[in-house]
């Protein structure tokens, strides 16, 4: 699929060195928080900061006019990344708002059902619980023995009462990648009118995504995680042929035209979910981040991430008292662990003092799953293609030193 004529072979050490040479942050930290906010490459910084500079120099509206073509290209880049058309893309301030615009826009009726997974993201579940107040039933499909959604039980839950199937492709709290394509086939088969909405916020930029192959109706992503773009930018992509089924929950004069004193007309495309005012610098940075990832080749990025994550999991498993907690048949770049004695906070702070960034994932973000596994918090160490073996040694060595100290 390389769109930009880049080779598709596995990423060699000098490829990784080139990517790191592009990334100012690797001089300062050993970063294992790519699933939180990755370290952006220089071209992303140049696009973002460059636009802010232009706004200061010539005025914000004038800088927008001057950047209009490059802003249009952001839609094309995102469309190309997920196998959609630019008219199906809406740019948002984050991934959650994109997801919200679709899910709150679904015309739920009393007695409808919403089906979701055990590892669904907290913000999404909170929104579902609010929608449930309208008399909609929320059904959480249990996991199978490997810790991914149980496809047989999903199949058994789906019928014409199901209005939406809402799935986090990769949860915030572990390596699991849900079988999105199998889910899509089951939804199309059992509940063809249901909305299948994929929260791809952890997978975009990490693995190849093709909305047609997945069979989802909408897909939400953001900029700051595996795409390595700036914070405060995201998107949602909605199939054009289903767009009119949604009633955007909030609209402004970007989403619609005020056509007469008492009338308005929604935009014909997915930009009806956008708001007029936006951080154009962040959007430009996100667009460059997508182009950058596509130029490297998402397949190559994916393979390198899997390799580094497996390396980290296997080294951590060798440490006494450490349990690696990742689930699922297919796993990506998020690695989670607990220690029998040390708290996640102790581990995070100790590593932080050595310039090693990890994060903590808690029950707040993924309560269904964490409660089922009896977990309150875990250390999350997420790798990317730029993660080196030496960084992995430093992380594992750090935990080792803390354990014996
Ligand atoms: C981070 C995350 C989100 C939230 O993304 P925002 O861009 O911050 O809104 C949603 N879902 C999952 C699975 C996440 O990991």
């Amino acid at each position: 699929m390389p769109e930009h004529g880049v080779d598709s072979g596995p990423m060699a050490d000098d490829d990784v060195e080139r990517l790191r040479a592009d990334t100012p942050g690797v001089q300062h930290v050993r970063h294992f928080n790519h699933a939180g906010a990755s370290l952006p490459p220089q071209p992303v910084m140049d696009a973002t900061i460059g636009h802010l500079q232009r706004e200061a120099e010539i005025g914000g509206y004038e800088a927008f006019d001057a950047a209009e073509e490059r802003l249009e290209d952001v839609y094309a880049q995102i469309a190309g990344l997920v196998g959609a058309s630019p008219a199906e893309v809406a740019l948002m301030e984050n991934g959650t708002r994109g997801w919200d615009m679709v899910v709150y826009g679904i015309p739920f009726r009393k007695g409808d059902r919403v089906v979701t997974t055990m590892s669904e993201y907290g913000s999404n579940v909170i929104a579902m619980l609010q929608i449930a107040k309208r008399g909609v039933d929320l059904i959480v499909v249990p996991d199978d023995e490997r810790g991914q959604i149980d496809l047989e039980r999903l199949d058994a839950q789906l019928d014409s009462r199901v209005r939406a199937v809402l799935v986090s492709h990769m949860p915030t709290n572990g390596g699991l990648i849900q079988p999105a394509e199998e889910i899509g086939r089951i939804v199309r088969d059992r509940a063809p009118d249901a909305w299948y909405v994929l929260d791809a916020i952890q997978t975009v930029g990490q693995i190849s995504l093709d909305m047609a192959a997945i069979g989802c109706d909408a897909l939400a992503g953001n900029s700051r995680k595996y795409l390595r773009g700036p914070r405060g930018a995201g998107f949602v992509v909605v199939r054009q042929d289903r767009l009119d089924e949604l009633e955007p929950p909030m609209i402004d004069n970007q989403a619609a035209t005020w056509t007469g004193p008492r009338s308005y007309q929604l935009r014909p495309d997915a930009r009806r979910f956008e708001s007029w005012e936006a951080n154009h610098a962040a959007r430009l940075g996100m667009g460059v981040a997508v182009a950058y990832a596509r130029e490297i080749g998402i397949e190559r990025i994916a393979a390198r991430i899997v390799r580094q994550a497996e390396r980290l999991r296997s080294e951590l498993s060798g440490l006494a008292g450490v349990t690696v907690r990742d689930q699922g048949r297919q796993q990506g770049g998020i690695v989670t662990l607990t220690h029998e004695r040390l708290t996640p906070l102790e581990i995070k702070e100790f590593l932080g003092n050595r310039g090693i960034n990890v994060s903590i994932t808690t029950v707040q973000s993924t309560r269904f799953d964490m409660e089922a596994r009896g977990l309150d918090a875990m250390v999350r160490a997420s790798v990317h293609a730029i993660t080196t073996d030496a960084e992995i040694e430093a992380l594992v060595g750090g935990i080792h030193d803390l354990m014996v100290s």
Side-chain angles (χ1 to χ4, degrees):
M1 142 159 166
E3 306 270 347
H4 297 274
V6 180
D7 60 317
S8 52
M11 210 177 275
D13 286 348
D14 52 335
D15 295 318
V16 174
E17 278 318 310
R18 187 178 60 78
L19 296 183
R20 289 175 67 82
D22 259 358
T23 310
V26 302
Q27 309 282 343
H28 304 282
V29 287
R30 286 177 279 212
H31 197 62
F32 288 87
N33 197 9
H34 299 283
S38 188
L39 301 174
Q42 192 61 46
V44 168
M45 306 290 294
D46 292 344
T48 308
I49 297 168
H51 188 76
L52 289 174
Q53 199 76 46
R54 287 292 274 169
E55 287 184 341
E57 284 165 6
I58 65 168
Y61 284 35
E62 294 73 13
F64 172 86
D65 289 342
E68 212 162 355
E69 243 173 72
R70 279 177 297 131
L71 282 162
E72 278 306 315
D73 191 51
V74 180
Y75 296 87
Q77 285 295 342
I78 291 168
L81 184 69
V82 302
S85 75
E88 296 176 307
V89 176
L91 302 185
M92 309 299 298
E93 63 268 42
N94 55 55
T96 301
R97 274 296 172 271
W99 184 96
D100 284 339
M101 284 309 234
V102 170
V103 174
Y104 281 99
I106 297 170
F108 289 108
R109 287 176 310 232
K110 211 170 159 33
D112 280 352
R113 295 184 163 187
V114 170
V115 171
T116 193
T117 74
M118 290 291 290
S119 54
E120 193 66 14
Y121 189 66
S123 296
N124 300 356
V125 177
I126 289 170
M128 290 177 214
L129 292 172
Q130 191 188 39
I131 290 168
K133 288 182 173 176
R134 305 180 199 168
V136 171
D137 292 325
L138 177 59
I139 293 165
V140 186
V141 179
D143 285 340
D144 68 12
E145 71 290 350
R146 297 288 293 273
Q148 65 175 34
I149 186 172
D150 187 322
L151 294 172
E152 280 176 26
R153 285 155 119 159
L154 171 68
D155 190 288
Q157 288 294 347
L158 295 184
D159 58 30
S160 61
R161 288 170 297 182
V162 174
R163 183 79 53 221
V165 178
L166 308 175
V167 175
S168 287
H169 199 184
M170 181 183 209
T172 194
N173 74 330
L176 164 70
I177 296 176
Q178 296 281 16
E181 296 191 13
E182 277 106 313
I183 294 170
R185 276 196 290 276
I186 296 170
V187 174
R188 290 289 79 91
D189 191 35
R190 311 294 283 186
D193 297 333
W195 275 84
Y196 175 21
V197 181
L198 193 69
D199 170 347
I201 290 166
Q202 287 294 358
T203 45
V204 66
Q206 170 165 195
I207 61 175
S208 299
L209 296 171
D210 177 352
M211 285 181 68
I214 293 168
C216 61
D217 301 296
L219 178 153
N222 76 10
S223 159
R224 72 178 195 274
K225 294 178 176 177
Y226 278 90
L227 274 176
R228 306 179 61 204
R231 297 191 65 171
F235 59 86
V236 67
V237 187
V238 183
R239 264 176 56 188
Q240 181 77 50
D241 60 344
R242 294 202 72 174
L243 199 58
D244 285 335
E245 292 175 41
L246 300 176
E247 181 64 41
M250 294 174 255
I251 50 176
D252 70 357
N253 53 8
Q254 162 78 358
T257 310
W258 194 8
T259 47
R262 302 274 170 164
S263 64
Y264 68 86
Q265 171 99 47
L266 281 176
R267 283 186 62 115
D269 56 18
R271 293 184 207 186
R272 61 177 63 177
F273 300 115
E274 293 183 348
S275 45
W276 189 85
E277 175 56 0
N279 184 339
H280 299 293
R283 288 179 168 186
L284 287 167
M286 173 165 66
V288 170
V290 176
Y292 187 88
R294 294 175 76 206
E295 199 161 312
I296 299 164
I298 304 288
E299 297 289 354
R300 300 173 78 212
I301 292 172
R304 166 83 186 173
I305 289 173
V306 166
R307 178 166 165 266
Q308 296 310 79
E310 278 173 1
R311 185 181 191 98
L312 177 55
R313 285 189 198 102
S314 110
E315 301 227 354
L316 287 168
S317 305
L319 293 176
V322 168
T323 306
V324 175
R325 298 284 183 177
D326 302 313
Q327 313 193 91
R329 283 173 177 75
Q330 189 192 346
Q331 295 184 341
I334 296 179
V335 177
T336 48
L337 64 121
T338 55
H339 185 269
E340 62 186 12
R341 176 172 49 86
L342 300 165
T343 66
L345 189 60
E346 285 169 325
I347 294 172
K348 178 182 185 277
E349 285 181 349
F350 185 87
L351 293 172
N353 288 334
R354 291 189 172 190
I356 302 170
N357 296 343
V358 297
S359 65
I360 298 175
T361 183
T362 76
V363 66
Q364 283 298 319
S365 296
T366 42
R367 180 173 289 282
F368 294 142
D369 169 63
M370 297 284 274
E371 281 188 357
R373 290 198 276 160
L375 293 166
D376 182 54
M378 300 183 281
V379 175
R380 183 181 72 176
S382 45
V383 303
H384 207 305
I386 59 172
T387 304
T388 61
D389 296 353
E391 287 178 319
I392 291 173
E393 298 306 325
L395 170 61
V396 175
I399 297 177
H400 172 267
D401 292 350
L402 174 59
M403 278 162 41
V404 300
S405 68

